[in-house]
Amino acid sequence: MGAGAMGGMGAMEGAMTAPEHQGKVGTEQNGSIAVKKSAGEITVAQVFANRNEYSGKEIEIKGIVVKVNKQVMDKNWIHIQDGTRDNGNFDLTITSADVAEVNDEITVKGKITLNKDFGYGYSYEVIMEDAKIVDAKPAGSAI
């Protein structure tokens, strides 16, 4: 192997030792978000507080999109907040084939998975996987 190939290996090794971030890096709580919910609608705080109750189950939840990473590992990664928090958890990460834009209000339906580790420091205590967007109000539309 030439020196260039070894340099590539070193760079790759550095990427594999990245610090674990549990899916929270770069996502701040937006204090202006307050999603109106009907009685019985699940909140982000409830998902985290009652994670064992929701684990492996399909649920529906509404929130405001605060971050989107499109087509990473063949999935769109959507972060929603609804103005609630539990023990410092206020942001639910969702994987979906569907796509949303930042500031959209969406309702998604998907399965809650606990302690999901994708490798390279991407692990999530709670994540909603393979969700479908069942309702969307684009940012700026009348609510």
Side-chain angles (χ1 to χ4, degrees), residues 37-131:
K37 298 198 179 203
S38 303
E41 278 190 289
I42 299 168
T43 67
V44 169
Q46 289 171 318
V47 171
F48 281 95
N50 304 305
R51 64 186 77 191
N52 292 327
E53 177 185 329
Y54 295 118
S55 179
K57 295 181 181 166
E58 191 171 82
I59 67 165
E60 194 169 288
I61 189 167
K62 178 170 46 175
I64 302 294
V65 177
V66 295
K67 183 176 179 181
V68 178
N69 293 316
K70 296 177 184 175
Q71 291 304 302
V72 176
M73 298 186 330
D74 295 321
K75 303 172 189 214
N76 296 311
W77 297 71
I78 303 167
H79 294 252
I80 65 165
Q81 296 179 18
D82 63 6
T84 65
R85 68 184 298 135
D86 174 68
N87 210 17
N89 297 299
F90 52 83
D91 181 274
L92 181 62
T93 302
I94 299 157
T95 65
S96 180
D98 298 339
V99 69
E101 299 300 330
V102 171
N103 294 322
D104 288 355
E105 181 180 284
I106 62 172
T107 301
V108 290
K109 187 174 188 174
K111 186 174 102 177
I112 297 296
T113 301
L114 303 183
N115 303 313
K116 182 74 174 196
D117 188 348
F118 291 96
Y120 299 100
Y122 289 89
S123 65
Y124 299 83
E125 292 177 27
V126 179
I127 188 169
M128 177 182 276
E129 295 189 283
D130 302 319

